Amino acid sequence: MERIDSHMHVWRLARGDYDWMTPDLGAIYRDFEIDDAWPAARAAGVSSVILVQAAATAAETDYLLSLAEADARVAGVVGWVDFEAAGAVAEIARRAADPRMLGLRPMIADLPDPEWILRPAFSPLLEAMAGHGLVFDGHARADLIPVMTRLADRHPALQIVLNHGGKPQIATGNLAAWRADLAALAQRPNVACKLSGLLTEAGVRTSDDALGEIAAHIRDCFGPSRVMWGSDWPVLNHAGDYAGWATQSARLINRFFPEHQRAVWAGNARRIYLNRSGA
């Protein structure tokens, strides 16, 4: 069975543009290359990965695209464009001309204005993304899910992929708002969701039952054709490791998507990210 990791990061600290990266991050404050994860990824059946930006710079996107060009394991890149720059629409078109560029991820969860992405000035950029077949990766925080709903309503032709299930507050069990907001978001057919990044939100509630509650709601909201698996490695290392998450994911996907495992492991990511209409 083909497996695509729809959400992996790599970084080299010496590049100097990871503003959020500080020594207090401990286990992830070092360089990470695909090779560091590959023994566990390969053992889990992963054949390719989608690299996702971790720095709000064009230089990092160039770095990721250089990896994609050199490494057949990289299916493509979700990069970054400065939405506030003059000529941003032209830059989106330039980036979209590279078939390895699959989408863009403004780091909205790190910005002080939660409604930043809804600024009218960005509408032409989002329309350009839709026209070129680029996915909008939704940088996640639970309170931003309603913002994604408004974004999806404004731009129905834009494919949006919510990262990490919207980062539910699993550790505290404060899930009521997340449940309602996710259900509302999922009513928009142009939105899909990554089954990723859950362990880092779980605290001690990492059991199959605790994470299964989340997986079941994601399934109930989005159905089997709009959910895709990802590792969120190496951020994952804060709460586990690649092999452990892949093994637990296999149990969850077998339990909650028994007839649609191929879709969740790879088929949905391939359709949504890799079959670009605008490349």
Coordinates of all heavy atoms in Angstrom, one line a residue, residues 38-82:
W38 N 14.3 8.7 7.6 CA 14.0 7.7 6.5 C 14.0 6.3 7.0 O 13.1 5.5 6.5 CB 14.9 7.9 5.3 CG 14.3 7.3 4.1 CD1 14.7 6.2 3.4 CD2 13.0 7.7 3.5 NE1 13.8 5.9 2.4 CE2 12.8 6.8 2.4 CE3 12.1 8.7 3.7 CZ2 11.7 6.9 1.6 CZ3 11.0 8.8 2.9 CH2 10.8 7.9 1.9
P39 N 14.9 5.8 7.8 CA 14.8 4.4 8.3 C 13.4 4.1 8.9 O 12.8 3.0 8.5 CB 15.9 4.2 9.3 CG 16.9 5.3 8.9 CD 16.1 6.4 8.4
A40 N 12.9 5.0 9.7 CA 11.6 4.7 10.3 C 10.5 4.9 9.3 O 9.5 4.1 9.3 CB 11.4 5.6 11.5
A41 N 10.6 5.9 8.4 CA 9.6 6.2 7.4 C 9.5 5.0 6.4 O 8.4 4.5 6.1 CB 9.9 7.5 6.7
R42 N 10.7 4.5 6.0 CA 10.7 3.4 5.0 C 10.1 2.2 5.7 O 9.3 1.4 5.1 CB 12.1 3.2 4.6 CG 12.2 2.1 3.5 CD 13.7 2.0 3.1 NE 14.6 1.8 4.2 CZ 15.9 2.1 4.2 NH1 16.4 2.7 3.1 NH2 16.6 1.9 5.3
A43 N 10.5 1.9 7.0 CA 9.9 0.7 7.6 C 8.4 0.8 7.8 O 7.7 -0.2 7.8 CB 10.6 0.6 9.0
A44 N 7.9 2.1 7.9 CA 6.4 2.3 8.0 C 5.7 2.2 6.6 O 4.5 2.3 6.5 CB 6.1 3.6 8.6
G45 N 6.5 2.0 5.5 CA 5.9 1.9 4.2 C 5.8 3.2 3.5 O 5.2 3.3 2.4
V46 N 6.4 4.3 4.0 CA 6.3 5.6 3.3 C 7.3 5.6 2.1 O 8.4 5.2 2.2 CB 6.7 6.7 4.3 CG1 6.9 8.1 3.6 CG2 5.7 6.8 5.4
S47 N 6.7 6.0 1.0 CA 7.5 6.1 -0.2 C 7.9 7.5 -0.6 O 8.9 7.7 -1.4 CB 6.8 5.4 -1.4 OG 5.5 6.0 -1.6
S48 N 7.2 8.5 -0.2 CA 7.5 9.9 -0.6 C 6.9 10.8 0.5 O 6.0 10.4 1.3 CB 6.9 10.2 -1.9 OG 5.5 10.1 -2.0
V49 N 7.4 12.0 0.5 CA 7.0 13.0 1.5 C 6.7 14.3 0.8 O 7.3 14.7 -0.3 CB 8.1 13.2 2.6 CG1 8.5 11.9 3.2 CG2 9.4 13.9 2.0
I50 N 5.9 15.1 1.4 CA 5.6 16.5 1.1 C 6.3 17.4 2.1 O 6.0 17.3 3.3 CB 4.2 16.8 1.0 CG1 3.5 16.0 -0.2 CG2 3.9 18.3 0.8 CD1 2.0 16.1 -0.3
L51 N 7.3 18.2 1.7 CA 8.0 19.1 2.6 C 7.2 20.4 2.8 O 6.8 21.0 1.8 CB 9.4 19.4 2.1 CG 10.4 18.2 2.0 CD1 11.7 18.7 1.4 CD2 10.5 17.5 3.3
V52 N 7.0 20.8 4.0 CA 6.2 22.0 4.3 C 7.1 23.0 4.9 O 8.0 22.7 5.8 CB 5.1 21.6 5.3 CG1 4.3 22.8 5.7 CG2 4.2 20.5 4.7
Q53 N 6.9 24.2 4.5 CA 7.8 25.3 5.0 C 7.8 25.5 6.5 O 6.8 25.1 7.2 CB 7.3 26.7 4.4 CG 5.9 27.1 4.7 CD 5.9 27.9 6.0 OE1 5.0 27.6 6.9 NE2 6.8 28.8 6.3
A54 N 8.9 26.0 7.0 CA 9.0 26.2 8.5 C 9.6 27.6 8.8 O 9.8 27.9 9.9 CB 9.9 25.1 9.1
A55 N 9.8 28.4 7.7 CA 10.4 29.7 7.8 C 9.6 30.6 6.9 O 9.3 30.2 5.7 CB 11.9 29.8 7.6
A56 N 9.3 31.8 7.3 CA 8.6 32.8 6.5 C 9.6 33.6 5.6 O 9.7 34.8 5.7 CB 7.8 33.7 7.4
T57 N 10.2 32.8 4.7 CA 11.2 33.4 3.8 C 11.1 32.7 2.5 O 10.9 31.5 2.4 CB 12.6 33.4 4.3 OG1 13.1 32.0 4.4 CG2 12.8 34.0 5.7
A58 N 11.4 33.5 1.4 CA 11.5 32.9 0.1 C 12.8 32.0 0.0 O 12.8 31.0 -0.7 CB 11.6 34.0 -1.0
A59 N 13.8 32.3 0.8 CA 15.0 31.6 0.7 C 14.8 30.1 1.2 O 15.4 29.2 0.7 CB 16.1 32.2 1.6
E60 N 14.0 30.0 2.2 CA 13.7 28.6 2.7 C 12.9 27.8 1.7 O 13.1 26.6 1.5 CB 12.9 28.6 4.0 CG 13.0 27.2 4.7 CD 11.7 26.7 5.2 OE1 10.6 27.3 4.9 OE2 11.7 25.7 5.9
T61 N 12.0 28.5 1.0 CA 11.2 27.8 -0.1 C 12.2 27.4 -1.2 O 12.1 26.2 -1.7 CB 10.1 28.7 -0.6 OG1 9.2 29.0 0.4 CG2 9.4 28.1 -1.8
D62 N 13.1 28.2 -1.5 CA 14.2 27.8 -2.5 C 14.9 26.6 -2.0 O 15.2 25.7 -2.8 CB 15.1 29.0 -2.8 CG 14.5 30.1 -3.6 OD1 13.5 29.8 -4.3 OD2 14.9 31.3 -3.5
Y63 N 15.3 26.6 -0.8 CA 16.0 25.5 -0.2 C 15.2 24.2 -0.3 O 15.7 23.1 -0.7 CB 16.3 25.8 1.3 CG 16.8 24.6 2.1 CD1 17.9 23.9 1.8 CD2 16.0 24.3 3.3 CE1 18.3 22.8 2.6 CE2 16.4 23.2 4.1 CZ 17.5 22.5 3.7 OH 17.9 21.4 4.5
L64 N 13.9 24.2 0.1 CA 13.1 23.0 0.0 C 12.9 22.6 -1.5 O 13.0 21.4 -1.8 CB 11.7 23.3 0.6 CG 11.7 23.6 2.1 CD1 10.3 23.9 2.5 CD2 12.3 22.6 2.9
L65 N 12.8 23.5 -2.4 CA 12.7 23.1 -3.8 C 13.9 22.5 -4.3 O 13.9 21.6 -5.2 CB 12.3 24.3 -4.6 CG 10.8 24.8 -4.5 CD1 10.6 26.2 -5.1 CD2 9.8 23.8 -5.1
S66 N 15.1 23.0 -3.8 CA 16.3 22.3 -4.2 C 16.4 20.9 -3.7 O 17.0 20.0 -4.5 CB 17.5 23.2 -3.7 OG 17.7 23.0 -2.3
L67 N 15.9 20.6 -2.6 CA 15.8 19.3 -2.1 C 14.9 18.4 -3.0 O 15.2 17.3 -3.3 CB 15.4 19.2 -0.6 CG 16.2 19.9 0.4 CD1 15.6 19.8 1.8 CD2 17.6 19.3 0.4
A68 N 13.8 19.0 -3.3 CA 12.8 18.3 -4.2 C 13.4 17.9 -5.5 O 13.2 16.8 -6.1 CB 11.6 19.1 -4.4
E69 N 14.2 18.8 -6.1 CA 14.9 18.6 -7.4 C 15.9 17.4 -7.3 O 16.0 16.7 -8.2 CB 15.6 19.8 -7.8 CG 16.2 19.7 -9.2 CD 16.8 21.0 -9.7 OE1 16.9 21.9 -8.9 OE2 17.1 21.1 -10.9
A70 N 16.6 17.3 -6.1 CA 17.7 16.4 -6.0 C 17.3 15.0 -5.4 O 18.0 14.1 -5.5 CB 18.8 17.0 -5.1
D71 N 16.1 15.0 -4.8 CA 15.7 13.8 -4.0 C 14.4 13.2 -4.5 O 13.3 13.9 -4.3 CB 15.7 14.2 -2.5 CG 15.6 13.0 -1.6 OD1 15.1 11.9 -2.0 OD2 16.1 13.1 -0.5
A72 N 14.4 12.1 -5.0 CA 13.1 11.5 -5.6 C 12.1 11.2 -4.5 O 10.9 10.9 -4.7 CB 13.4 10.2 -6.4
R73 N 12.6 11.1 -3.2 CA 11.6 10.9 -2.1 C 10.7 12.1 -1.9 O 9.7 11.9 -1.2 CB 12.4 10.5 -0.9 CG 13.2 9.3 -1.0 CD 14.1 9.1 0.3 NE 15.1 10.2 0.4 CZ 16.1 10.2 1.3 NH1 16.2 9.2 2.2 NH2 16.9 11.2 1.4
V74 N 11.1 13.2 -2.3 CA 10.3 14.4 -2.1 C 9.3 14.6 -3.2 O 9.6 14.8 -4.4 CB 11.2 15.7 -2.0 CG1 10.3 16.9 -1.8 CG2 12.2 15.5 -1.0
A75 N 8.0 14.4 -2.9 CA 6.9 14.5 -3.9 C 6.6 16.0 -4.3 O 6.1 16.2 -5.4 CB 5.6 13.9 -3.3
G76 N 7.0 16.9 -3.4 CA 6.7 18.3 -3.7 C 6.9 19.1 -2.4 O 7.2 18.6 -1.3
V77 N 6.6 20.4 -2.6 CA 6.8 21.4 -1.5 C 5.6 22.3 -1.3 O 5.0 22.7 -2.3 CB 8.1 22.3 -1.9 CG1 8.2 23.5 -1.0 CG2 9.3 21.4 -1.9
V78 N 5.3 22.5 0.0 CA 4.4 23.6 0.3 C 5.3 24.7 0.9 O 5.9 24.6 1.9 CB 3.4 23.1 1.4 CG1 2.6 24.3 1.9 CG2 2.5 22.0 0.9
G79 N 5.3 25.8 0.1 CA 6.3 26.8 0.4 C 5.6 28.1 1.0 O 4.5 28.0 1.6
W80 N 6.3 29.2 0.8 CA 5.9 30.5 1.4 C 6.1 31.6 0.4 O 7.1 31.6 -0.3 CB 6.6 30.7 2.7 CG 6.3 32.0 3.4 CD1 5.4 32.2 4.4 CD2 6.9 33.3 3.2 NE1 5.3 33.5 4.8 CE2 6.3 34.2 4.1 CE3 7.9 33.8 2.4 CZ2 6.6 35.6 4.2 CZ3 8.3 35.1 2.5 CH2 7.6 36.0 3.4
V81 N 5.2 32.5 0.3 CA 5.3 33.8 -0.5 C 4.9 34.9 0.5 O 4.0 34.8 1.3 CB 4.4 33.7 -1.7 CG1 4.2 35.1 -2.3 CG2 5.0 32.8 -2.8
D82 N 5.6 36.0 0.3 CA 5.3 37.2 1.1 C 4.0 37.9 0.6 O 4.0 38.5 -0.5 CB 6.4 38.2 1.1 CG 6.2 39.4 2.0 OD1 5.1 39.6 2.5 OD2 7.1 40.3 2.1

